[in-house]
Amino acid sequence: MVHQQMASQEITVAYLGPAGSYTHQAALGKFGNSVTYHPQATIDDVFKFVEEKHTTYGVVPFENSTFGSVVTTLDRLVSSKTQIIGEAYLEVNHNLLAKSNIKSVKRIYSHPQAFGQCRKWINTHLKGAQCIDASSTSRAAELAASESASAAISSIVCAELYGLNVLEKDIQDLRGNKTRFFILGNSPSGSTGDDRTLLLFTVDHRKPGALCDCLKTFKDHNINLTKIDSRPSLQRQWNYVFFVEFEGHKDDSNVRMSLNDIGEYCLGLTVLGSYSNKRTED
Amino acid sequence: MVHQQMASQEITVAYLGPAGSYTHQAALGKFGNSVTYHPQATIDDVFKFVEEKHTTYGVVPFENSTFGSVVTTLDRLVSSKTQIIGEAYLEVNHNLLAKSNIKSVKRIYSHPQAFGQCRKWINTHLKGAQCIDASSTSRAAELAASESASAAISSIVCAELYGLNVLEKDIQDLRGNKTRFFILGNSPSGSTGDDRTLLLFTVDHRKPGALCDCLKTFKDHNINLTKIDSRPSLQRQWNYVFFVEFEGHKDDSNVRMSLNDIGEYCLGLTVLGSYSNKRTED
């Protein structure tokens, strides 16, 4: 675990809160109970806390196996001054929590990602209800606890924490629904022999095949890509920034050769971090 | 315009409604006033209406220049039985509309995409307000019109349509904010000499370089890629479907060669449609 490297210092961890969020649970799984936690209201605040060195580490959601990438995290990575130094996976089982019963539910609070992971269930069982965005699923539970006709889509942990009844368990559309989190820090992680790296770059849109040329540098050095995302560049309309994740550490010799080659074809290349691969195939 | 090809028949168009939505405005720009419109409550309903041949065409939002792809449309394209037969662009200027004044606004209704396009403005001017998802920005205006402490982020057209005051104009984070729409139909469009094509495919994740091999087939035939998206495949965890858009029509000879080549490297290749390129560079 990351914190074993720093056992002699006080370790502090910012996460997307409040207490009981899935990000909190992922953080607890990674760092345990012997560190000090600082819940934050937004993903942006977690990045800022680490960038301004208020905490040693930060934990943010990155990707869900059903509903895909967390765009707030992708967009914030573009201006990030931190490094991604680790990842964590959590099996996510959503529940409908409320003070009252399902018949009186007029409003549902949750994070947009959780709504996306329970789309079919909501459309079948609570089609008329208002879906109200909360900054996290635990914040949703906190809000639902203060209103009689409201429910939250949230974790089972939050039922006890915020004094809510579990009206329905496991309402996510797919079984084995998992979320992947990034651990942010200020010092890069060393190579472990089984790592992944996330890159950010853009390409000259006037050059046909530019993205292909970029990706080919990985193939040339026998590096397997694991994920590609694109987001609007915001510099030029209908141009994109690309997030490419691959197997290997930025200090591995084949990765270094590939990063050297890719510089010829892309613009604004940034290594967002290398981290030990924690994915386990089911 | 598309409907000129079918002037002698009655043309019907389903769109993401209710009346006054940006999709409605895009549809009016494309088809004018001489066709019959059928507003739908959801993007899924627009696809269904066209698939079941209740209407000749359908119009759905696809991508915004600030906040990126509309994931509901991407996810629905995977099971689509329609063809993309056209595209339309609309400059999108969001406004804060309400019955009352800005000080009494406790809740804001809008579409998640519009919230994403006004993130900075909301965080600066209405940080404490609840953001409540609506199925479209015009539905948001309809909801705000029935509640005193609520506002909508919506188009100026909806202010008059739903009897709301314009509390603040042009609240989108970037000027020149544009949304791109797809026209759905049941018969493919012919080649115009300046077209684009959208493909859907997945790759064998165990083959290193498989995505690169796919993209290289376009480069080999001198075809320029204009966009790439990935979404969870939902067939296997942490596997993705890819949406690749490129310049050219599926019947062009170089595109046909490329589609023939790509079949060697990808799985589940589907041509979602070819359509006349309506993008104008600013």
Side-chain angles (χ1 to χ4, degrees):
Chain A
M1 298 217 294
V2 178
H3 73 277
Q4 289 171 341
Q5 298 160 15
M6 295 188 63
S8 60
Q9 298 166 40
E10 198 208 347
I11 290 162
T12 51
V13 179
Y15 67 89
L16 176 65
S21 64
Y22 294 110
T23 313
H24 189 194
Q25 294 170 42
L28 283 166
K30 187 85 180 179
F31 295 100
N33 287 311
S34 61
V35 304
T36 309
Y37 289 101
H38 294 270
Q40 301 300 314
T42 67
I43 286 170
D44 183 45
D45 290 334
V46 177
F47 274 90
K48 272 191 199 153
F49 242 62
V50 181
E51 285 168 350
E52 294 170 4
K53 302 200 169 66
H54 299 308
T55 54
T56 329
Y57 302 114
V59 186
V60 290
F62 174 60
E63 181 187 13
N64 174 268
S65 60
T66 309
F67 199 59
S69 298
V70 179
V71 293
T72 317
T73 298
L74 285 176
D75 288 349
R76 187 55 177 77
L77 281 168
V78 174
S79 63
S80 168
K81 294 180 189 75
T82 69
Q83 288 277 311
I84 303 164
I85 59 135
E87 59 168 4
Y89 290 81
L90 186 76
E91 186 158 334
V92 168
N93 298 307
H94 293 299
N95 309 277
L96 189 75
L97 312 180
K99 283 267 183 209
S100 53
N101 59 39
I102 196 161
K103 280 182 190 158
S104 50
V105 171
K106 302 271 179 291
R107 289 177 297 275
I108 317 169
Y109 290 102
S110 202
H111 188 274
Q113 268 276 338
F115 285 130
Q117 293 158 37
C118 303
R119 277 193 286 205
K120 282 184 203 160
W121 191 90
I122 297 169
N123 285 337
T124 310
H125 297 94
L126 282 170
K127 189 157 189 170
Q130 287 184 345
C131 291
I132 308 181
D133 284 1
S135 51
S136 69
T137 51
S138 50
R139 174 68 185 140
E142 201 174 58
L143 287 163
S146 66
E147 296 175 19
S148 61
S150 297
I153 294 177
S154 191
S155 76
I156 208 87
V157 172
C158 288
E160 201 173 326
L161 214 52
Y162 298 98
L164 294 163
N165 303 319
V166 182
L167 302 190
E168 189 79 37
K169 275 191 173 182
D170 294 345
I171 62 171
Q172 66 279 0
D173 294 334
L174 287 182
R175 284 191 165 271
N177 182 47
K178 282 190 188 145
T179 298
R180 181 182 181 202
F181 300 84
F182 275 151
I183 318 296
L184 309 173
N186 286 307
S187 313
S189 287
S191 171
T192 68
D194 180 14
D195 302 285
R196 293 189 179 202
T197 298
L198 188 69
L199 286 189
L200 170 71
F201 60 82
T202 184
V203 297
D204 184 341
H205 73 291
R206 293 161 302 189
K207 273 192 191 166
L211 179 61
C212 174
D213 289 333
C214 289
L215 301 188
K216 190 169 175 298
T217 63
F218 299 105
K219 192 186 177 193
D220 289 345
H221 297 287
N222 209 25
I223 295 167
N224 199 18
L225 301 186
T226 50
K227 182 169 166 63
I228 182 165
D229 273 301
S230 69
R231 293 287 299 154
S233 78
L234 305 187
Q235 302 299 313
R236 198 187 150 84
Q237 213 159 52
W238 312 118
N239 272 253
Y240 305 93
V241 291
F242 297 100
F243 295 84
V244 169
E245 188 189 50
F246 55 84
E247 291 173 355
H249 190 282
K250 68 184 169 59
D251 297 335
D252 294 349
S253 63
N254 61 339
V255 175
R256 285 166 69 169
M257 287 188 283
S258 180
L259 292 178
N260 191 49
D261 294 353
I262 196 177
E264 275 186 53
Y265 305 109
C266 74
L267 306 166
L269 179 69
T270 308
V271 179
L272 295 169
S274 293
Y275 34 89
S276 174
N277 173 28
K278 297 293 183 200
R279 184 169 301 170
T280 49
E281 296 286 337
D282 291 324
Chain B
M1 298 216 294
V2 177
H3 72 277
Q4 288 171 342
Q5 299 160 14
M6 295 186 62
S8 60
Q9 297 167 41
E10 198 208 348
I11 291 162
T12 51
V13 179
Y15 67 89
L16 177 63
S21 64
Y22 294 109
T23 313
H24 189 194
Q25 294 169 43
L28 282 165
K30 187 86 181 177
F31 296 99
N33 288 311
S34 61
V35 305
T36 309
Y37 289 101
H38 295 271
Q40 301 300 315
T42 66
I43 286 171
D44 182 45
D45 290 335
V46 178
F47 275 89
K48 272 190 199 154
F49 242 62
V50 182
E51 286 168 349
E52 293 170 5
K53 302 199 168 69
H54 299 308
T55 55
T56 329
Y57 301 115
V59 186
V60 291
F62 175 60
E63 180 185 15
N64 174 268
S65 60
T66 308
F67 199 59
S69 299
V70 179
V71 294
T72 317
T73 298
L74 285 178
D75 288 349
R76 186 56 177 75
L77 280 168
V78 174
S79 63
S80 168
K81 293 180 191 77
T82 70
Q83 288 277 310
I84 301 164
I85 59 134
E87 59 169 4
Y89 290 80
L90 186 75
E91 185 158 334
V92 168
N93 298 308
H94 294 298
N95 309 276
L96 190 74
L97 312 180
K99 282 266 183 210
S100 54
N101 58 40
I102 196 163
K103 281 182 189 158
S104 50
V105 171
K106 303 271 179 293
R107 289 176 296 276
I108 316 169
Y109 290 101
S110 203
H111 189 272
Q113 269 276 338
F115 285 131
Q117 292 158 36
C118 303
R119 277 193 286 205
K120 283 184 201 159
W121 191 91
I122 297 169
N123 285 337
T124 310
H125 298 93
L126 281 171
K127 190 159 186 168
Q130 286 185 347
C131 290
I132 308 182
D133 285 2
S135 51
S136 70
T137 51
S138 50
R139 174 69 184 139
E142 200 174 59
L143 287 164
S146 66
E147 297 175 18
S148 60
S150 297
I153 294 178
S154 190
S155 77
I156 207 87
V157 172
C158 287
E160 201 174 326
L161 214 50
Y162 298 99
L164 294 163
N165 302 318
V166 181
L167 302 191
E168 189 80 35
K169 275 193 174 180
D170 293 346
I171 63 171
Q172 65 281 0
D173 294 333
L174 287 182
R175 283 190 167 271
N177 183 47
K178 283 190 188 144
T179 298
R180 182 183 182 204
F181 300 83
F182 275 152
I183 318 296
L184 308 173
N186 285 309
S187 314
S189 285
S191 173
T192 69
D194 180 15
D195 302 284
R196 295 189 177 200
T197 298
L198 188 69
L199 286 189
L200 169 70
F201 60 83
T202 185
V203 297
D204 185 340
H205 74 291
R206 292 160 303 188
K207 272 193 192 166
L211 178 61
C212 173
D213 289 333
C214 289
L215 300 188
K216 192 169 174 299
T217 62
F218 299 106
K219 192 186 175 193
D220 289 347
H221 296 287
N222 209 25
I223 295 167
N224 199 19
L225 301 187
T226 50
K227 182 167 167 62
I228 181 166
D229 274 300
S230 68
R231 293 287 300 155
S233 78
L234 305 187
Q235 300 300 315
R236 197 186 150 87
Q237 213 158 50
W238 313 117
N239 272 254
Y240 305 94
V241 291
F242 297 100
F243 296 85
V244 170
E245 188 191 48
F246 55 84
E247 291 173 355
H249 190 282
K250 69 183 171 58
D251 297 335
D252 294 349
S253 63
N254 60 340
V255 174
R256 286 167 68 167
M257 285 188 284
S258 182
L259 292 178
N260 191 48
D261 294 353
I262 197 177
E264 274 186 51
Y265 306 109
C266 73
L267 307 166
L269 179 69
T270 309
V271 179
L272 295 169
S274 294
Y275 35 89
S276 173
N277 174 28
K278 297 294 181 198
R279 182 168 303 171
T280 50
E281 295 286 337
D282 290 323

